[in-house]
């Protein structure tokens, strides 16, 4: 700091203050200042320096000729740093023209006060808002000087800015949320609207909002309700909340919701302050939701299934509304599934598994259990369910669907019973057939036994020779063993046929099955003078089936063929058995005879149970044969043979490994 300047400053400050204190000393003559005057100047200088108002004295060129310590300090300077500089230095570049204009105006209008608000820049670059009060005075030498007193209004300005900002935010928020605000003084009818409210009602901003204008916009069907609601609110001075429709200038419909609260203004009058929201989109979404809910309700109500919901304790909380029109059990609410299932104790394992799934909160599928319908009739129910949770993942229960599967279960049970009865019957007829085959079987066994005896005799004879012919004796014994084995094979086979054994599906060679069956009826054929012709394809793929059952079918067909040729005397009684594969990968086995054949009337009924044309016949054979073949996934059909007689054809699928 230059002392010279400080001295100048001190002098001119004192000089300038002379003007200010003129009134104080008007009584004094214009001579050298006396001690009293100097004292007054000093005091005023103190006031000038430390009064918390920023004072600037600027010459017509804009140079700072004085500034008080407070004023300089407010800008981060010492007075000496500012004195002699252009006052423009403490203003923003862009504000400087304005400052020049203001100073010029002051200079033009001596002794008149002017006020303006402007920003100043501190030494550190920060901003200060001030209100400047300026006035040009004439100095003792007649030169003009601009005195400026500034008041720091930064806080107010910041508050104003914040307010402006929050108003802007509010406007933004209103626009984004499609919510406008309004005020309504019920007594005077005065209405104020926010920008967004104007937008919602589609009125030009600035149009005076009046009730008739609003009513015009409101859908004619809703006008009365709106008037009633607002009228009652005004009378009772109570809050209101209502929804209504607007008809926009383009004819479109807008849904709005207006909510207002009653308040009292400064004069104690009721004033409503509220918001109005455009809820058209929400309404539309609600409508769509309602439509789709209705759709699902329609589906649900037309289904014979019923829907249920259980709580965290697995007790039923809800059940489809229409459940009373269908088989669903009644009075389920509050009960668990195992409370109502009479099989809960009978099948503990099933229920333990089910409850473990529920406790693990995993979905379950197709649980079938016994229950009772609303009339107490036993029913079978099949149910599947899925757990549901709240937004935090807390388990709330299960939702699912139940189906009455009684009919299906009963059908299954009936089919099972039928299957059992058929197997039983097949067994009985097999045993019956074996009874009929006694002669054949005896013959089958007798033959090797006779051979055994003959060979044993021969063996003895070889041994009795001198010397004994051991080689020949050994050969005889080997033949004995062979024949013995053959006899025992026949017995084993017959026992297998007679035994009530479960079905055993295995890969089979069709030709072997045919040969074994033929072996058992050999004698029967011989006694009826029937010859058999086997046309078996070699190297056949395997089939998959039960050996005993398939042999039963073949024996049945062969026996029927023998019987059909009983009266044939004019030609050889010949039975032909063929095997082979069809073009489309199936096994074909056929049994043809040249007997009396099948009449037109009989062809459709052959396979019916109890259809027989024989005096001692039972009429069950073919029906059982067909069910056996069908259980193997095949077909059994009958047709007249080419010349005379009948042909029965079996079609069987090949063993899967063979087809691939
Ligand atoms: P059953 O032999 O006890 O009569 P089946 O069911 O085996 O019972 O046969 C039913 C009927 O089918 C026989 O009574 C017969 O009229 C007819 N039938 C069966 N096989 C032949 C055949 N090979 N030729 C002509 N008719 C047959």
């Amino acid at each position: 700091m230059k002392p010279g300047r400080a001295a100048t400053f001190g002098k001119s400050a004192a000089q300038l203050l002379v003007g200010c204190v003129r009134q104080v000393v008007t009584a004094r003559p214009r001579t050298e200042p006396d001690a009293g005057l100097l004292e007054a100047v000093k005091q005023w200088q103190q006031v000038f320096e430390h009064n918390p108002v920023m004072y600037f004295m600027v010459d017509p060129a804009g140079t700072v000729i004085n500034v008080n310590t407070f004023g300089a300090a407010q800008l981060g300077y010492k007075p000496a740093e500012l004195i002699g500089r252009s006052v423009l230095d403490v203003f923003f570049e862009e504000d400087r023209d304005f400052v020049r204009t203001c100073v010029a105006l002051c200079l033009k209008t001596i002794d008149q006060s002017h006020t303006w608000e402007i920003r100043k820049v501190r030494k550190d670059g920060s901003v200060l808002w001030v209100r400047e009060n300026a006035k040009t005075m004439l100095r003792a030498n007649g030169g003009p000087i601009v005195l400026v007193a500034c008041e720091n209004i930064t806080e107010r300005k910041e508050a104003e800015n914040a307010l402006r900002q929050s108003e802007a935010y509010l406007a933004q928020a209103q626009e984004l949320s499609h919510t406008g605000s309004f005020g309504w003084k019920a007594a005077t009818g005065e209405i104020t609207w926010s920008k967004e409210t104007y937008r919602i009602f589609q009125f030009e901003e600035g149009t005076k909002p009046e009730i008739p204008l609003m009513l015009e916009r409101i859908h004619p069907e809703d006008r009365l309700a709106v008037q009633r609601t607002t009228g009652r609110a005004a009378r009772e001075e109570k809050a209101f909340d209502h929804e209504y429709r607007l008809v926009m200038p383009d004819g479109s419909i807008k849904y709005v919701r207006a909510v207002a609260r009653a308040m009292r203004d400064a004069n104690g009058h009721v004033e409503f302050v509220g918001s109005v929201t455009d809820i058209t989109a929400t309404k539309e979404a609600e409508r769509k939701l309602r439509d789709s809910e209705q759709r699902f309700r329609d589906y649900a109500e037309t289904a014979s299934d019923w829907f249920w919901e259980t709580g965290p304790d697995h007790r039923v909380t809800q059940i489809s509304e229409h459940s009373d029109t269908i088989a669903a059990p009644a009075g389920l609410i509050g009960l668990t599934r195992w409370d109502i299932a009479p099989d809960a104790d009978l099948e503990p394992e099933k229920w333990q598994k089910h409850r473990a799934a529920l406790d693990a909160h995993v979905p379950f599928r197709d649980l079938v259990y016994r229950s009772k319908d609303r009339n107490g009739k036993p029913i079978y129910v099949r149910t599947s369910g899925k757990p549901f949770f709240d937004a935090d993942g807390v388990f709330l229960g299960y939702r699912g669907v139940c189906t009455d599967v009684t009919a299906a279960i009963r059908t299954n049970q009936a089919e099972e019973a039928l299957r059992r009865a058929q197997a039983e019957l097949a067994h009985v007829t097999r045993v019956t057939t074996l009874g009929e085959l006694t002669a054949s079987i005896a013959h089958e066994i007798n033959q090797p036994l006779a051979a055994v005896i003959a060979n044993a005799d021969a063996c003895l004879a070889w041994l009795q020779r001198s010397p004994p012919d051991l080689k020949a004796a050994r050969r005889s014994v080997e033949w004995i063993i062979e024949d013995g084995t053959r006899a025992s094979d026949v017995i084993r086979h017959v026992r297998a046929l007679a035994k009530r054994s479960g079905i055993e599906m295995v890969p089979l060679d069709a030709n072997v099955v045919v040969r074994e069956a033929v072996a058992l009826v050999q004698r029967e054929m011989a006694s009826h003078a029937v010859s058999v012709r086997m046309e078996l394809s070699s190297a056949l793929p395997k089939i998959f089936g039960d050996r005993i059952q398939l042999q039963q079918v073949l024996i049945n067909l062969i026996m029927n063929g023998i019987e059909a040729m009983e009266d044939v005397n004019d030609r050889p009684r010949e039975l032909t058995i063929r095997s082979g594969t069809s073009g489309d990968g199936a096994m074909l086995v056929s049994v043809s005879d040249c007997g009396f054949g099948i009449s037109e009337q009989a062809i459709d009924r052959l396979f019916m149970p109890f259809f027989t044309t024989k005096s001692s016949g039972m009429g069950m054979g073919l029906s059982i044969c067909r069910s056996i073949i069908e259980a193997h996934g095949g077909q059994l059909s009958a047709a007249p043979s080419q010349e005379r007689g009948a042909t029965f054809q079996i079609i069987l699928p090949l063993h899967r490994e063979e087809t691939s």
Side-chain angles (χ1 to χ4, degrees):
M1 181 164 72
K2 290 179 188 162
R5 279 241 187 226
T8 317
F9 160 66
K11 202 171 123 204
S12 39
Q15 278 177 352
L16 286 162
L17 276 166
V18 170
C20 305
V21 298
R22 194 166 287 147
Q23 285 159 332
V24 182
V25 294
T26 38
R28 303 256 166 214
R30 291 195 58 184
T31 53
E32 275 300 296
D34 63 10
L37 178 61
L38 282 175
E39 189 51 35
V41 167
K42 230 164 114 187
Q43 279 172 12
W44 277 105
Q45 194 172 355
Q46 287 296 316
V47 173
F48 171 77
E49 287 297 336
H50 302 294
N51 189 18
V53 175
M54 305 155 73
Y55 293 114
F56 288 84
M57 294 172 195
V58 180
D59 71 9
T63 308
V64 177
I65 50 179
N66 205 353
V67 56
N68 65 341
T69 307
F70 178 81
Q74 284 286 296
L75 295 174
Y77 293 100
K78 295 207 168 87
E81 288 177 280
L82 287 175
I83 291 165
R85 274 172 71 173
S86 168
V87 75
L88 294 177
D89 288 357
V90 297
F91 292 98
F92 279 105
E93 183 84 48
E94 61 264 35
D95 292 343
R96 288 181 187 164
D97 275 346
F98 175 72
V99 175
R100 282 190 198 101
T101 319
C102 292
V103 171
L105 180 68
C106 290
L107 288 168
K108 232 194 267 168
T109 52
I110 292 172
D111 269 344
Q112 264 184 40
S113 286
H114 297 279
T115 304
W116 62 86
E117 289 177 5
I118 194 162
R119 296 172 298 173
K120 281 193 160 154
V121 193
R122 289 202 184 91
K123 194 177 175 182
D124 65 5
S126 60
V127 178
L128 188 72
W129 272 94
V130 290
R131 194 221 309 276
E132 301 201 318
N133 205 326
K135 180 178 192 173
T136 299
M137 292 177 67
L138 291 179
R139 298 170 74 166
N141 64 6
I145 186 165
V146 185
L147 296 179
V148 190
C150 320
E151 178 195 350
N152 185 348
I153 55 162
T154 310
E155 260 182 35
R156 198 201 81 203
K157 272 282 173 193
E158 276 172 358
E160 270 176 21
N161 278 344
L163 183 65
R164 201 167 305 128
Q165 183 125 55
S166 77
E167 273 173 358
Y169 286 158
L170 183 65
Q172 284 277 345
Q174 291 201 350
E175 192 179 331
L176 288 174
S177 64
H178 305 292
T179 301
S181 52
F182 64 86
W184 173 42
K185 292 190 200 287
T188 60
E190 189 191 328
I191 298 175
T192 45
W193 276 0
S194 76
K195 205 169 168 176
E196 186 60 21
T197 308
Y198 276 103
R199 215 191 330 253
I200 289 173
F201 278 84
Q202 255 186 50
F203 282 124
E204 193 77 21
E205 213 183 317
T207 317
K208 197 166 179 312
E210 283 173 333
I211 301 234
L213 194 70
M214 284 175 64
L215 282 176
E216 210 174 280
R217 199 51 108 230
I218 293 172
H219 194 289
E221 288 171 16
D222 294 352
R223 273 180 207 152
L224 200 63
V226 170
Q227 281 174 305
R228 277 203 190 125
T229 306
T230 50
R232 190 181 322 116
R235 267 196 315 282
E236 297 174 5
E237 304 187 348
K238 276 203 182 128
F240 63 88
D241 181 347
H242 60 167
E243 287 180 14
Y244 50 90
R245 289 165 295 173
L246 303 179
V247 184
M248 307 321 288
D250 65 357
S252 63
I253 300 289
K254 199 180 259 186
Y255 284 85
V256 294
R257 177 181 177 194
V259 182
R261 186 177 286 176
M263 302 172 87
R264 293 207 176 269
D265 67 9
N267 303 322
H269 297 308
V270 169
E271 180 181 11
F272 289 92
V273 178
S275 66
V276 53
T277 311
D278 180 350
I279 54 165
T280 314
T282 322
K283 281 275 166 195
E284 181 58 16
E286 267 176 18
R287 192 191 61 72
K288 280 194 182 143
L289 190 66
R290 246 195 332 271
D291 289 357
S292 75
E293 265 181 9
Q294 186 57 45
R295 198 161 62 225
F296 282 110
R297 184 159 304 152
D298 290 347
Y299 288 148
E301 285 181 2
T302 45
S304 56
D305 297 348
W306 63 97
F307 302 88
W308 51 262
E309 196 174 299
T310 51
D313 56 358
H314 309 309
R315 291 180 187 281
V316 176
T317 51
Q318 283 202 54
I319 192 145
S320 322
E321 287 161 21
H322 75 306
S323 64
D324 50 350
T325 61
I326 50 171
L332 286 183
I333 304 288
L335 296 178
T336 64
R337 204 161 289 126
W338 45 94
D339 284 338
I340 47 159
D343 59 3
D345 295 333
L346 302 174
E347 295 177 77
E349 222 172 274
K350 174 174 93 181
W351 288 98
Q352 267 162 23
K353 240 173 90 188
H354 176 60
R355 290 177 71 166
L358 295 188
D359 290 339
H361 303 164
V362 293
F364 64 89
R365 203 165 248 291
D366 296 340
L367 171 80
V368 176
Y369 61 95
R370 277 166 53 197
S371 183
K372 287 199 170 100
D373 74 2
R374 57 189 46 256
N375 302 317
K377 251 178 46 206
I379 55 168
Y380 284 91
V381 173
R382 188 181 61 215
T383 187
S384 301
K386 202 176 154 222
F388 67 102
F389 306 88
D390 71 5
D392 300 325
V394 175
F395 171 70
L396 296 181
Y398 273 83
R399 286 195 191 112
V401 58
C402 274
T403 314
D404 175 5
V405 289
T406 314
I409 297 250
R410 294 245 191 279
T411 309
N412 277 350
Q413 287 173 341
E415 274 173 6
E416 179 56 35
L418 183 67
R419 241 189 328 272
R420 268 203 307 273
Q422 277 178 343
E424 199 72 18
L425 193 61
H427 175 249
V428 169
T429 51
R430 221 154 52 218
V431 174
T432 314
T433 313
L434 285 177
E436 287 166 11
L437 291 179
T438 318
S440 283
I441 295 164
H443 172 78
E444 277 298 294
I445 298 166
N446 251 343
Q447 257 189 342
L449 284 183
V452 166
I453 293 165
N455 278 311
D457 280 346
C459 181
L460 280 178
W462 296 124
L463 288 174
Q464 276 162 5
R465 283 224 178 153
S466 175
D469 188 342
L470 289 181
K471 208 171 156 203
R474 167 182 286 269
R475 203 172 50 231
S476 296
V477 172
E478 279 167 2
W479 285 338
I480 290 171
I481 293 172
E482 258 177 43
D483 287 324
T485 310
R486 232 175 81 203
S488 112
D489 276 352
V490 173
I491 292 168
R492 211 177 41 248
H493 193 179
V494 171
R495 281 185 63 186
L497 282 172
K499 220 167 90 186
R500 183 209 308 261
S501 56
I503 294 172
E504 195 188 348
M505 303 290 280
V506 289
L508 294 171
D509 181 335
N511 289 346
V512 171
V513 178
V514 169
R515 280 199 197 97
E516 281 179 353
V518 169
L520 282 180
V521 289
Q522 200 90 52
R523 169 75 195 201
E524 209 60 31
M525 290 196 278
S527 66
H528 284 85
V530 170
S531 64
V532 64
R533 192 145 61 95
M534 310 267 259
E535 294 178 8
L536 307 182
S537 283
S538 55
L540 278 181
K542 291 231 156 86
I543 50 168
F544 195 63
D546 181 88
R547 196 170 64 102
I548 301 292
Q549 285 202 337
L550 292 179
Q551 281 181 5
Q552 180 177 355
V553 172
L554 284 166
I555 290 171
N556 237 304
L557 298 181
I558 294 168
M559 294 293 281
N560 277 348
I562 294 171
E563 284 169 15
M565 293 187 290
E566 221 160 25
D567 295 336
V568 172
N569 293 312
D570 57 341
R571 55 186 183 272
R573 298 175 186 168
E574 195 179 61
L575 198 73
T576 311
I577 303 177
R578 296 185 180 90
S579 72
T581 49
S582 72
D584 51 0
M587 173 72 62
L588 304 177
V589 177
S590 65
V591 178
S592 308
D593 62 69
C594 56
F596 56 79
I598 308 164
S599 70
E600 281 287 317
Q601 301 96 309
I603 197 144
D604 294 331
R605 303 165 60 201
L606 290 186
F607 295 97
M608 288 171 138
F610 306 115
F611 173 78
T612 182
T613 54
K614 298 167 194 168
S615 56
S616 61
M618 201 158 70
M620 286 305 296
L622 286 179
S623 137
I624 290 169
C625 288
R626 183 171 257 184
S627 64
I628 288 175
I629 296 299
E630 283 177 355
H632 279 73
Q635 288 163 22
L636 173 63
S637 57
S641 289
Q642 261 176 355
E643 283 176 21
R644 281 195 187 88
T647 294
F648 286 81
Q649 190 177 54
I650 302 167
I651 305 178
L652 283 172
L654 296 182
H655 181 37
R656 227 174 285 143
E657 267 174 29
E658 302 286 336
T659 49
S660 60

